[in-house]
Amino acid sequence: MDRDLLTHLPVIVAVARRGGFALAAAELGMSPSAVSHAVRLVEERIGQPLFARTTRSVSLTEAGKALVETAAPALQDIAERMDRLRGIKGRPSGLLRINASNIAIPLAVTPVVAAMAERYPDVTVEVFAEQGLVDIVGEGFDAGIRLGEMIAQDMITVRLTPPFKAVVVASPAYIGKHGRPRDVADLANHNCISYRLVRSGGLYRWDLHEDGKDIVVEARGTVIVTDSLAAIDLALAGVGLAYVFEPLVQADLAAGRLARILPKTAIEEPGLFLYFPRRASMAPKLRAFIDTAQEIGRASMRTPSRVA
């Protein structure tokens, strides 16, 4: 067994996962030159190139793909077993990587991470905020957080929030100047803050309900954003109408800084869920996150979670 080769396998997997030497170096806390040296050493021992390099991209060769497909699951299994061994002593530890939608950060992540910092100081939670869905297993995340309707059926899920509504809001200043839309069709005559879907490049369409029917609205206006919090700031500034999840603007609505527009057209979303592959359900660091999240949200939980 080539022990030197084994020590460099995590570097190979990180470069493949992140798609570049610099990003892998940042993740591993190494210099790019050290990452390059590790890759070169493994390639020399194997006798084949593992990556096809250009000035703009790094991609796996056939040999590299075969190595990563073998090494990545084995390294993940070792890491999980080590975490379980540490957990036997009652001290969850290690790096917990979570991929969450932007809206999940204030609604479901911040309070849990704050509590975990006090309870589990040996656990480091890395939160990667991203709008679209990702392959959490393939990209090396322990868990993801998304709306329930977006999660694959083969994942274990844990409810983090109750269901909530998606609402249209505007500031009193905007309403005073432009008035309120009379109905869904009248939204076309108002300045609507649009969302750009980062991964697809398309514009997000607003889902509303009117006269017993679900309606999809192609909202248009003078500004396009990629984040709900930006839309809220613009709505507060009187720029236009924003389509947001109600918990994000609850305080602004209560204080009168924003008002609901066409409230009867609001649809209900299933809420936010933590999700992860079945084999990861017993990792102590993930279990610590789940227990903390359930304790914080127990009073508002309305449906049971399914956890293996």
Side-chain angles (χ1 to χ4, degrees), residues 32-55:
S33 61
V35 169
S36 180
H37 173 75
V39 171
R40 187 166 59 253
L41 185 148
V42 176
E43 288 178 330
E44 289 174 353
R45 297 291 176 86
I46 293 178
Q48 297 186 67
L50 300 176
F51 297 97
R53 306 165 177 82
T54 70
T55 56

Side-chain angles (χ1 to χ4, degrees), residues 270-288:
L272 291 166
F273 290 77
L274 180 82
Y275 65 99
F276 48 90
R278 187 171 299 276
R279 62 176 177 76
S281 61
M282 294 305 293
K285 60 187 178 183
L286 182 56
R287 176 58 61 182

